[in-house]
Structure formats: structure tokens, C-alpha cells
């Protein structure tokens, strides 16, 4: 957010840090970063001017090995040539049409051909729009009102889903957002993740009113934890039995954990799926899709309204297509998954050598290092981690040129632009920093 009371240009070279100090970054410059660990520990947020491959540069030309990857989308690294070329080429053809276009069709083809559960897909402009529309569609299709969500699962800033939503809200220690009237969340049932009995009880009590369950199949917005064996199968079975819908929010995991996303890894067929992040190639995109029978309820064919001025935007489509095509032979996943393993093994070693208790959680190219000695299977477990320790770790890493997500409750990402040298350097730095904790 820009605050006119704050003098000078905040992104002018060199002076930035001084300006931020003067302006008290927390309330003047509201980025996700200034809102998180920098507030708590008094450090200064850095302002990026440039990012390429696995590297980000700040305004003072310091460089960092980046494990945030613009919060997930940068699976090929920052500004990969294929994306830059595709966006430039698309831009000269027109930056927005508001008319169905061939790029949007190509994107739909790529998603539908890749993810078996998705027979039809609709593009929108963010992950938030995707989940918001998917739950409206689930309600319209089933003619029921209630939605089950899980603690620590984040589905964007949709009013009705901003309950125990992890991510930024969790980092700020306010699991429920102000500005959301209780009536808006009264149809949302919030349950602990990985708890079969809780879901059974909810269906026993409200079964006939439950339109669907929405979840991150691999929750990655309260750190990272995995579904227990059989849990996703159970959710599929119970929703099928009660004729409510299983909605996978794969905004983070879609095309990140493989071409079929988390559903491919775990062999589950959800009714609806939400996408974003990777499929936008770094531009603003979301999408949702699923069984034709359900998707046909959307306007204009059906009664569930959904629209967007910039949906199917040619620049975003071109960027996303270029990424999905680069991913299509699967080789990128082999690379980033093995780098992910090398990094998390290395971090586990660094922590152990320093006598620091951590839970190193990983799936594919996503990982999280919780500073706790107890296993993490849900949000309550995640909350046991030592956030002061995390904060020290974060700042130690940053000072040494490694940028990890500025919150204990975010996952880190490896891209195809990372290499063994970057991973080794990161492990060396971590080994040094862990010893100071
Ligand atoms: C990031 C994210 C969203 C929200 O996407 P935006 O593009 O930020 O609106 C929704 N669900 C999940 C699982 C996410 O990781």
C-alpha cells in the first residue's frame, strides 16, 4: 500500500532502508513481507528490483538465493526465457480482448489433458477467485449450503473461508480476519486436518446440508504437512456417500507436485479442482474445473454466476502455456524433486549437527523446516514450533544471502533454476546459522 504521508520514493536506490525505518514499514508499506517476520524481529523488509533464475536482487544490489519463488509460481525459476518470450510475443498482439481467444483454449487443453478429473475448466484471475467460484458452484450444484474446511488450510481471501486459514493470518497471530461478519462464515464448518472422526461427526450431524469439503490435499499454508495414509481416500469416500463434493484446492500443488498435481500423486479423483500459481507462469491466473455435469451449472449454461473482465487474459495465458509446455515431459519434476531431497537432507543434517530440534517436512520440491521436536500433522502441531528461533534462523539466512519465506508457516520451493551448487551453499549457510540458534 502506498501512503502519501510517507516522504520520498520508497523504491529509490540506496535510500530505501533509511526511508523504511523512518516510515515504520509495518503500517506504511503493506506487503506480505513487511507484515510477517520483519515486524516481529525489527528487521527491515527488503525491496526487490530484479529476479532471474534462482536469484533475487534487492534495491541495494544484494543478491539472494531465493526459496520463495514468488510464493510458488516460479517453478522454472524467475523470468525464464520461455515465459519472457511468450509474454512479449503475446503483448504485441493485444493485452486483453474480453473475447474468447485461442490462448485460453490452448491453456484449457493443457489442463484438461493433464488432470484426468478435470473435464472442463474455467479460467479466472487468482487462486482466490478459483476457490470462491468452486464453492459457489458446489453449493449451486448440490443445492446445499454448508462447506467443510480444515484448520490451517488457506484458500485465498474468500470471506467464508477466512477461518483458521493459516498463512499470513496465522503468522500475524489472528486466525480469523476482522471485517468478516460471523454470518458470512456461519455455513463454514472448520475441522482439524487429518482427523477422520471429526469429519465423520460433521457428516453425521449435518450430512444432508454439506455441499462439499474443500482442502489443500497437501496443506502448505501453515508450513507443510502431509495427509496421513488413507485420509484423502476417506474424504473421497465420505463425500461420495453423502453426495457432497470433494474440492481439491491445488492452487499451490497443481503442476508443482507433478503434471497431475497432488491428486495424481495420491491417486484421488476430486469432483472439483482449483488451480493458480504455477499455471500463471508468474502472471495473475486462477482456474477451476472438474466433472462436466458440475461445470455445466456455471453461467451462461447454468444458474451459477461467474465472470471476470480479464479472465483468460492473453498475457497470463501465454505465460502459463509456456510453463506448462516446458513441464510436459516430466523431466523438470525429476530435477526439482531430487534437489528438494538434497536440500531437506542437508538441512536436517545441519540442524542435527547444531543440536537444534526440527521437523523437516517435504514432498517433491516443497519443504518446510519446523523448529519443534514433535511431529507435525496439523495446524495445532505446527503452532508448537519455536517462532523466535525461526526468526533468528530467517535473519541469519538472509544476512548470508539466502532468502527463505519470512514466516514459519510457509513452505519453501525449489525451481528448475536451482542447481547443486546453490543447494550446497544453502546447506553450508544453514549449518553456520543453526549453530547460532
Ligand atoms: C495461494 C493460494 C491461494 C490463493 O491464491 P491467490 O492467487 O493468492 O489468490 C488459494 N489456495 C491455496 C492453496 C494457495 O496456496
Amino acid at each position: 500500500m502506498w501512503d502519501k504521508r510517507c516522504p520520498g520514493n520508497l523504491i529509490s536506490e540506496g535510500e530505501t532502508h533509511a526511508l523504511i525505518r523512518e516510515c515504520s514499514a509495518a503500517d506504511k508499506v503493506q506487503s506480505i513481507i513487511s507484515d510477517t517476520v520483519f515486524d516481529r524481529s525489527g528487521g527491515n523488509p527488503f525491496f526487490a528490483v530484479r529476479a532471474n533464475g534462482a536469484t533475487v536482487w534487492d534495491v541495494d544490489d544484494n543478491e539472494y538465493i531465493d526459496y520463495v519463488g514468488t510464493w510458488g509460481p516460479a517453478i522454472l525459476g524467475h523470468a525464464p526465457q520461455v515465459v519472457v518470450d511468450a509474454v512479449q510475443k503475446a503483448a504485441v498482439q493485444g493485452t486483453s480482448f474480453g473475447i474468447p481467444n485461442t490462448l485460453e483454449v490452448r491453456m484449457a487443453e493443457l489442463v484438461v489433458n493433464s488432470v484426468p478429473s478435470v473435464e472442463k475448466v474455467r479460467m479466472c484471475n487468482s487462486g482466490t477467485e478459483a476457490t470462491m467460484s468452486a464453492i459457489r458452484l458446489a453449493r449451486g450444484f448440490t443445492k446445499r449450503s454448508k462447506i467443510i474446511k480444515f484448520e490451517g488450510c488457506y484458500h485465498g481471501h474468500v470471506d467464508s473461508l477466512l477461518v483458521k486459514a493459516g498463512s499470513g493470518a496465522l503468522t500475524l497471530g489472528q486466525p480469523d480476519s476482522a471485517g468478516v461478519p460471523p454470518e458470512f462464515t456461519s455455513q463454514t464448518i472448520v475441522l482439524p486436518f487429518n482427523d477422520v472422526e471429526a469429519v465423520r461427526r460433521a457428516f453425521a450431524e449435518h450430512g444432508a446440508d454439506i455441499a462439499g469439503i474443500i482442502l489443500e490435499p497437501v496443506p502448505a499454508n501453515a508450513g507443510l504437512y502431509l495427509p496421513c495414509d488413507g485420509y484423502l481416500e476417506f474424504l473421497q469416500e465420505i463425500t461420495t456417500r453423502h453426495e457432497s463434493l470433494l474440492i481439491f484446492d491445488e492452487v499451490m500443488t497443481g503442476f508443482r507436485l507433478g503434471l497431475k498435481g497432488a491428486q495424481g500423486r495420491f491417486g484421488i479423483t476430486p469432483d472439483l479442482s482449483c488451480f493458480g500459481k504455477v499455471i500463471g507462469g508468474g502472471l495473475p491466473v486462477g482456474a477451476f474445473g472438474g466433472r462436466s455435469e458440475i461445470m455445466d451449472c456455471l453461467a451462461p449454461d447454468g444458474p451459477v454466476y461467474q465472470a471476470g473482465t480479464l479472465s483468460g487474459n492473453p498475457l497470463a495465458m501465454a505465460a502459463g502455456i509456456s510453463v506448462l509446455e516446458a513441464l510436459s515431459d516430466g523431466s523438470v519434476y525429476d530435477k526439482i524433486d531430487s534437489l528438494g531431497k538434497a536440500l531437506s537432507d542437508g538441512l536436517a543434517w545441519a540442524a542435527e549437527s547444531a543440536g537444534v530440534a526440527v521437523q523437516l517436512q517435504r514432498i517433491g520440491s516443497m519443504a518446510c523446516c519446523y523448529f519443534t521436536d514433535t511431529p507435525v500433522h496439523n495446524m495445532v502441531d505446527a503452532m508448537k514450533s519455536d517462532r523466535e528461533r525461526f526468526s533468528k534462523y530467517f535473519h541469519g539466512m538472509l544476512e548470508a544471502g539466502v532468502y527463505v519465506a519470512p514466516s514459519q508457516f510457509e513452505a519453501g520451493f525449489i525451481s528448475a533454476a536451482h542447481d547443486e551448487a546453490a543447494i550446497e551453499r544453502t546447506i553450508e549457510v544453514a549449518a553456520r546459522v543453526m549453530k547460532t540458534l
Side-chain angles (χ1 to χ4, degrees):
M1 191 193 291
W2 184 261
D3 189 323
K4 65 177 189 299
R5 288 168 301 177
C6 185
N9 179 356
L10 275 180
I11 53 167
S12 72
E13 302 270 340
E15 292 168 79
T16 316
H17 285 169
L19 267 169
I20 295 165
R21 255 190 303 277
E22 231 172 75
C23 297
S24 152
D27 43 316
K28 306 299 193 264
V29 188
Q30 290 190 338
S31 72
I32 241 174
I33 292 168
S34 60
D35 283 351
T36 54
V37 78
F38 291 105
D39 274 2
R40 319 192 124 258
S41 52
N44 290 317
F46 74 87
F47 283 72
V49 279
R50 195 153 58 91
N52 196 278
T55 310
V56 172
W57 286 265
D58 72 10
V59 287
D60 298 320
D61 218 31
N62 298 309
E63 66 175 70
Y64 306 90
I65 304 174
D66 177 29
Y67 290 100
V68 182
T70 184
W71 306 98
I75 194 165
L76 301 179
H78 290 286
Q81 201 58 49
V82 286
V83 172
V84 173
D85 289 347
V87 170
Q88 284 177 340
K89 193 165 153 236
V92 290
Q93 305 280 7
T95 55
S96 174
F97 306 125
I99 301 170
N101 62 77
T102 52
L103 290 168
E104 166 178 39
V105 174
R106 173 72 185 134
M107 168 62 93
E109 225 168 46
L110 284 163
V111 174
V112 167
N113 290 343
S114 197
V115 187
S117 72
V118 177
E119 294 170 357
K120 290 192 178 182
V121 64
R122 179 164 291 189
M123 304 310 302
C124 51
N125 302 295
S126 68
T128 300
E129 286 188 24
T131 59
M132 178 181 76
S133 300
I135 60 169
R136 182 183 307 141
L137 178 58
R139 284 169 165 156
F141 176 77
T142 58
K143 303 189 173 65
R144 299 172 179 180
S145 298
K146 291 195 190 303
I147 294 285
I148 291 178
K149 86 170 282 288
F150 297 104
E151 289 172 3
C153 282
Y154 177 66
H155 305 294
H157 50 91
V158 180
D159 278 340
S160 64
L161 299 176
L162 264 185
V163 224
K164 305 234 162 119
S167 208
L170 195 59
T171 307
L172 291 170
Q174 83 188 42
D176 308 302
S177 173
V180 179
E183 291 82 359
F184 287 26
T185 54
S186 65
Q187 300 302 308
T188 309
I189 301 169
V190 187
L191 304 176
F193 193 79
N194 272 332
D195 183 339
V196 167
E197 278 315 311
V199 176
R200 280 215 183 99
R201 277 196 300 273
F203 272 94
E205 204 173 322
H206 304 290
D209 300 324
I210 296 174
I213 298 181
I214 186 166
L215 73 151
E216 299 181 67
V218 177
N221 279 288
L224 177 74
Y225 39 85
L226 301 183
C228 293
D229 277 352
Y231 184 65
L232 299 176
E233 288 82 352
F234 159 75
L235 296 179
Q236 173 146 45
E237 186 272 322
I238 199 163
T239 46
T240 307
R241 184 146 46 85
H242 289 268
E243 294 176 6
S244 47
L245 303 185
L246 184 62
I247 308 167
F248 268 20
D249 177 354
E250 297 230 39
V251 172
M252 185 94 93
T253 50
F255 294 89
R256 161 64 63 179
L257 294 182
L259 294 168
K260 299 183 167 74
Q263 54 194 276
R265 276 210 187 216
F266 292 96
I268 304 292
T269 309
D271 298 292
L272 290 173
S273 301
C274 304
F275 301 93
K277 298 197 167 118
V278 169
I279 68 160
L283 274 79
V285 167
F288 62 103
R291 285 212 319 272
S292 295
E293 175 200 8
I294 305 169
M295 293 301 287
D296 289 344
C297 285
L298 279 178
D301 295 339
V304 177
Y305 188 72
Q306 197 280 334
T309 302
L310 296 174
S311 297
N313 174 269
L315 300 193
M317 293 301 99
I321 290 166
S322 68
V323 170
L324 297 193
E325 285 178 343
L327 294 172
S328 63
D329 74 359
S331 59
V332 165
Y333 297 108
D334 296 339
K335 176 180 180 185
I336 59 180
D337 289 13
S338 75
L339 288 177
K341 181 168 185 334
L343 178 64
S344 63
D345 289 352
L347 293 179
W349 164 82
E352 201 186 323
S353 326
V356 173
V358 297
Q359 301 296 314
L360 231 300
Q361 318 263 111
R362 179 185 73 91
I363 179 167
S365 57
M366 301 163 59
C368 173
C369 179
Y370 287 112
F371 287 88
T372 171
D373 55 6
T374 50
V376 179
H377 300 295
N378 57 36
M379 191 183 83
V380 172
D381 298 337
M383 294 300 289
K384 291 178 192 148
S385 55
D386 183 339
R387 294 161 72 185
E388 292 307 317
R389 219 168 205 195
F390 170 82
S391 181
K392 271 195 207 145
Y393 170 73
F394 169 82
H395 286 288
M397 296 297 278
L398 191 69
E399 249 159 58
V402 178
Y403 179 51
V404 300
S407 162
Q408 173 72 96
F409 305 114
E410 301 285 356
F413 302 94
I414 305 260
S415 77
H418 287 83
D419 58 14
E420 274 159 29
I423 302 294
E424 268 167 37
R425 204 180 114 64
T426 304
I427 294 168
E428 274 167 35
V429 169
R432 251 188 294 131
V433 172
M434 292 275 192
K435 292 206 173 80
T436 67
L437 306 181

